Amino acid sequence: MSNYKMAEANNRVIPVEDKIFGINQKAKEMIAKEGADKVVNATIGSLLDDDGNLVILSSVVEVLKGLTPIDYADYAPISGTPDFIKAIKKAAFGSYVPKAYTEAIATPGGTGAIRNTIQNYSKRGDKVLTSDWFWAPYSTIAQDIERSIVTYTLFDENGSFNSASFESKVKELLGSQDGLVIILNTPAHNPTGYSFTKDDWYSILSIAKAATTDPTKKITLLVDVAYVDYAGDEEEYRKFYPLLEDLPSNILVVIAYSLSKSYTMYGMRSGAMICMTSEKEIADEFKTVCSFSSRGTWSNCNRAAMATLSSIYADEELLAKVTSERQGYCKMLVQRGKAFQKAANEVGLEIVPFDAGFFVSIPCDNPDAAGEALQKEGIFAVPLGKGLRVSVASISEEVCKKLPASILKVLKTI
Ligand code: PLP
């Protein structure tokens, strides 16, 4: 029974305030009281420059300024404009050309792609699998459409991908339900910064294949690539895509691609879900059912964002400009992450296996208490189920070099 006066909880656990928003607010209050130099706000999930300003790709802004009124005033087709569909496939895949049937549907950011995949490839009441370190909105999305998240243990005791845990959860869940959506956030996973290696992928795919030899069982691999353009070399980090070809037809791959970070269009809410399958009928069906879901939730997506991406991909020079501007910021971010990792190693602060991206995670007992103790020292990080998430995206390289020692000092007092 819920305590709501009018609203229905519908089995959802709904916090009064978003956790990250609340901590961010406290950081802002402390900055106002004590000064910015006394506070490290490592809660923010957007890329900031060293002065704390949002990084915005100026080459993208130029395109936005040149849009026509029709570009932002008119409706877009439900599944996206044809030019956008072509452009977003290129944005997601880079130079890789899939040897699979692919269809893309516009979504409001990666979030929309995640929501539409869970909605259309699981049943009400089903469990959706992801790793024990995970982006909390996966659970919000699942709950909101009457599913729930179940986790496997991402790392074994050696800090490698825990394929045994993954396998046992896949088998367990497919023992009690016919279909299973598995969310894989790679490269530069939020919150750990881990990227699946080729060997990890081989394990995942062989486990998925073994679990679906019975044709009545189905797996949807939802590959959330929200950070693919901020892990390092863009082509290198897309090399896992060919491994997703030639899968049995009862394993569907859905790529969730987001323009939020890649094109600094966080607020414009744009992205896509792109399927990869060995069967044309399954790709056609993907288009039909996902468009239906779009119509039933947000209807069509932001046309201005579609026009922007289409313009960028219609002009090689412009694309090169956007890519090179982003690469500069990616380099800055990678350096911050490596600086944090190096400093953590040097002082002996344990971090979760890290490769790249916006976040680093620190395993600890009682993360809420640890978070509060850090706040007293002017350090704001996000407590998760198994530790603390530090956003290297929102702090400078200089701060990254010093922060591990300060964090360790506080953690030792708990
Ligand atoms: N997936 C992960 C892991 C994220 O961290 C984010 C954004 O923070 C997203 C997906 C999608 O973001 P958006 O809906 O803005 O594209």
Side-chain angles (χ1 to χ4, degrees):
M1 264 243 311
S2 81
N3 294 324
Y4 295 124
K5 287 192 173 160
M6 288 295 289
E8 294 294 351
N10 288 326
N11 294 322
R12 295 166 300 172
V13 180
I14 305 177
V16 179
E17 181 188 57
D18 179 79
K19 201 172 188 173
I20 302 183
F21 179 81
I23 301 171
N24 188 25
Q25 200 52 34
K26 280 192 192 169
K28 282 187 181 160
E29 282 163 18
M30 192 162 176
I31 289 172
K33 223 163 99 192
E34 316 238 345
D37 56 324
K38 299 282 188 301
V39 177
V40 175
N41 186 359
T43 61
I44 302 166
S46 316
L47 184 59
L48 307 186
D49 66 19
D50 288 352
D51 299 320
N53 302 309
L54 183 69
V55 165
I56 304 169
L57 298 177
S58 61
S59 47
V60 174
V61 173
E62 285 312 305
V63 183
L64 273 161
K65 283 184 182 161
L67 294 184
T68 65
I70 283 285
D71 288 332
Y72 47 83
D74 201 4
Y75 283 129
I78 302 286
S79 59
T81 60
D83 286 346
F84 172 75
I85 294 301
K86 270 192 235 149
I88 199 135
K89 282 187 186 173
K90 287 187 191 154
F93 290 132
S95 66
Y96 163 68
V97 181
K99 291 191 205 70
Y101 293 101
T102 60
E103 288 290 350
I105 302 281
T107 55
T111 304
I114 296 159
R115 189 251 173 226
N116 255 5
T117 304
I118 297 177
Q119 170 70 338
N120 289 296
Y121 292 93
S122 67
K123 292 182 186 156
R124 261 188 215 145
D126 272 0
K127 297 187 164 76
V128 170
L129 184 63
T130 196
S131 54
D132 51 353
W133 293 91
F134 70 97
W135 187 49
Y138 291 155
S139 174
T140 311
I141 296 166
Q143 282 192 66
D144 205 46
I145 47 177
E146 296 171 58
R147 277 75 162 173
S148 59
I149 293 286
V150 164
T151 61
Y152 66 93
T153 308
L154 181 54
F155 298 109
D156 63 17
E157 55 290 350
N158 304 315
S160 303
F161 173 64
N162 195 333
S163 58
S165 174
F166 180 75
E167 183 171 28
S168 96
K169 283 292 174 190
V170 170
K171 278 187 182 161
E172 179 192 318
L173 292 171
L174 277 180
S176 55
Q177 54 192 54
D178 289 337
L180 178 62
V181 173
I182 304 175
I183 310 177
L184 306 166
N185 174 210
T186 189
H189 173 245
N190 176 4
T192 66
Y194 186 69
S195 303
F196 284 139
T197 64
K198 256 198 173 158
D199 282 345
D200 298 343
W201 273 113
Y202 290 139
S203 300
I204 290 165
L205 295 172
S206 81
I207 291 164
K209 282 184 203 166
T212 49
T213 47
D214 170 354
T216 65
K217 299 288 176 185
K218 304 179 274 189
I219 285 183
T220 301
L221 295 175
L222 170 54
V223 189
D224 178 358
V225 296
Y227 297 93
V228 68
D229 292 315
Y230 287 93
D233 185 273
E234 293 173 8
E235 288 298 318
E236 201 56 40
Y237 276 96
R238 281 169 165 79
K239 285 207 168 141
F240 68 92
Y241 282 135
L243 307 176
L244 306 177
E245 292 172 353
D246 290 329
L247 294 173
S249 58
N250 54 345
I251 301 181
L252 175 70
V253 173
V254 180
I255 309 294
Y257 185 74
S258 163
L259 300 193
S260 296
K261 289 139 193 113
S262 297
Y263 293 83
T264 61
M265 291 206 265
Y266 304 87
M268 291 188 71
R269 312 306 307 137
S270 188
M273 57 197 306
I274 309 171
C275 75
M276 289 175 70
T277 166
S278 51
E279 206 175 300
K280 185 174 182 308
E281 231 175 282
I282 291 174
D284 293 343
E285 172 190 277
F286 169 89
K287 201 165 177 193
T288 308
V289 298
C290 295
S291 303
F292 181 87
S293 268
S294 298
R295 187 63 174 127
T297 46
W298 46 77
S299 187
N300 46 63
C301 296
N302 185 322
R303 190 181 182 110
M306 293 185 205
T308 304
L309 193 78
S310 307
S311 302
I312 293 169
Y313 277 83
D315 178 342
E316 265 179 40
E317 223 171 277
L318 179 58
L319 176 61
K321 207 168 145 191
V322 173
T323 308
S324 112
E325 195 180 359
R326 186 200 306 113
Q327 279 167 349
Y329 289 117
C330 176
K331 203 169 152 206
M332 172 185 85
L333 178 69
V334 167
Q335 278 171 359
R336 289 180 187 172
K338 297 290 172 211
F340 190 97
Q341 188 181 29
K342 183 167 174 278
N345 285 343
E346 280 166 7
V347 298
L349 173 72
E350 187 189 352
I351 63 169
V352 181
F354 170 82
D355 174 49
F358 278 40
F359 309 105
V360 176
S361 284
I362 299 160
C364 68
D365 296 330
N366 205 344
D368 284 319
E372 277 168 29
L374 285 169
Q375 286 174 18
K376 292 199 181 102
E377 301 304 314
I379 299 167
F380 291 80
V382 178
L384 307 168
K386 299 186 78 176
L388 293 163
R389 187 189 82 172
V390 173
S391 165
V392 293
S394 65
I395 56 178
S396 70
E397 189 179 339
E398 282 318 299
V399 173
C400 286
K401 286 179 185 163
K402 294 184 205 140
L403 196 55
S406 314
I407 293 177
L408 185 65
K409 204 167 135 197
V410 175
L411 292 186
K412 276 184 176 163
T413 64
I414 297 171

